[in-house]
Amino acid sequence: GAGVSQSPSNKVTEKGKDVELRCDPISGHTALYWYRQSLGQGLEFLIYFQGNSAPDKSGLPSDRFSAERTGGSVSTLTIQRTQQEDSAVYLCASSPSGRAPETQYFGPGTRLLVL
Amino acid sequence: GQQLNQSPQSMFIQEGEDVSMNCTSSSIFNTWLWYKQDPGEGPVLLIALYKAGELTSNGRLTAQFGITRKDSFLNISASIPSDVGIYFCAGANYGGSQGNLIFGKGTKLSVKP
């Protein structure tokens, strides 16, 4: 499809395990964002990639969280040694550039449950 | 992380009623956005506001960028059943290297039983 896709759509893991969440942005979009949405909460910014620039990691809640973007396209968000409080929906968005916020297109999210 | 104060948290609507919700912030933004999120989906942009005092409509939706640049409201006129969902406000300051949005906690619209 033409939109942002994320996989898996749902993930259940045990506390202490590592998880990888994947985001396929819209082709040609140079900006990519990760957000976290906890139950009943708004979206919390995690990390932002813009082209070849160093990513803005200011929203990552701890050093257990990391993200990569390979070849300026696909991105992977990794959570190491998962905790129950990591349970949330992880949303990815992409934009043609980082200069116009209205053009962030969101994927359907990955629902993570840590038991 | 930083969040906006959005109210009400939830409300029930009856078809045909008008709906209002608002967002306030302790920080100034140069852009305000309103999104709607349906279950199992990501947020979808409804209205974008770029100038203090700006009033913008999109069909039955009307939003305003407060003149203090610290608040915004969204009105839905003559609501219909498909308006149910969660509405989020978001603020941003664009022009530099920062690209992220700051979101409110959402207003959940449900149908009156």
Side-chain angles (χ1 to χ4, degrees), chain A residues 33 35 37 40-45 48 56 91 98-104 106-109 111, chain B residues 1 3 31 33 35 37 40-43 45 48 50 88 92 94 97-101 103-105:
Chain A
Y33 313 77
Y35 294 86
Q37 185 176 24
Q41 301 292 315
L43 281 70
E44 174 190 4
F45 166 72
Y48 159 53
D56 175 358
L91 289 155
R99 289 184 288 275
E102 76 280 12
T103 54
Q104 287 190 35
F106 284 85
R111 282 143 194 82
Chain B
Q3 285 194 320
T31 302
L33 307 167
Y35 286 85
Q37 186 176 29
E41 303 289 333
L45 181 70
Y50 303 106
F88 291 99
Y94 270 73
S97 61
Q98 186 180 30
N100 59 290
L101 302 173
F103 282 84
K105 293 188 178 182

Side-chain angles (χ1 to χ4, degrees), chain A residues 14-41:
Chain A
E14 293 179 348
K15 178 181 171 181
K17 295 282 180 68
D18 297 351
V19 296
E20 284 190 352
L21 312 179
R22 176 186 169 106
C23 173
D24 284 88
I26 294 172
S27 178
H29 282 194
T30 61
L32 186 148
Y33 313 77
W34 283 98
Y35 294 86
R36 176 170 70 175
Q37 185 176 24
S38 301
L39 187 64
Q41 301 292 315

Side-chain angles (χ1 to χ4, degrees), chain B:
Chain B
Q2 180 184 359
Q3 285 194 320
L4 306 177
N5 296 315
Q6 186 172 348
S7 63
Q9 290 184 347
S10 63
M11 57 194 309
F12 289 91
I13 60 171
Q14 197 153 40
E15 187 169 356
E17 287 181 339
D18 295 345
V19 172
S20 290
M21 59 193 77
N22 67 78
C23 227
T24 59
S25 170
S26 57
S27 306
I28 289 174
F29 291 112
N30 64 26
T31 302
W32 281 94
L33 307 167
W34 285 92
Y35 286 85
K36 184 189 180 202
Q37 186 176 29
D38 292 324
E41 303 289 333
V44 174
L45 181 70
L46 299 174
I47 291 181
L49 302 158
Y50 303 106
K51 195 164 61 174
E54 179 182 358
L55 185 72
T56 296
S57 293
N58 178 9
R60 294 178 296 105
L61 307 178
T62 301
Q64 185 157 32
F65 191 143
I67 55 174
T68 66
R69 297 167 61 191
K70 293 183 177 180
D71 63 312
S72 178
F73 72 74
L74 175 70
N75 286 344
I76 306 173
S77 63
S79 58
I80 60 178
S82 61
D83 289 336
V84 300
I86 303 178
Y87 292 78
F88 291 99
C89 60
N93 284 312
Y94 270 73
S97 61
Q98 186 180 30
N100 59 290
L101 302 173
I102 309 298
F103 282 84
K105 293 188 178 182
T107 294
K108 184 176 180 181
L109 253 57
S110 305
V111 177
K112 273 183 185 172

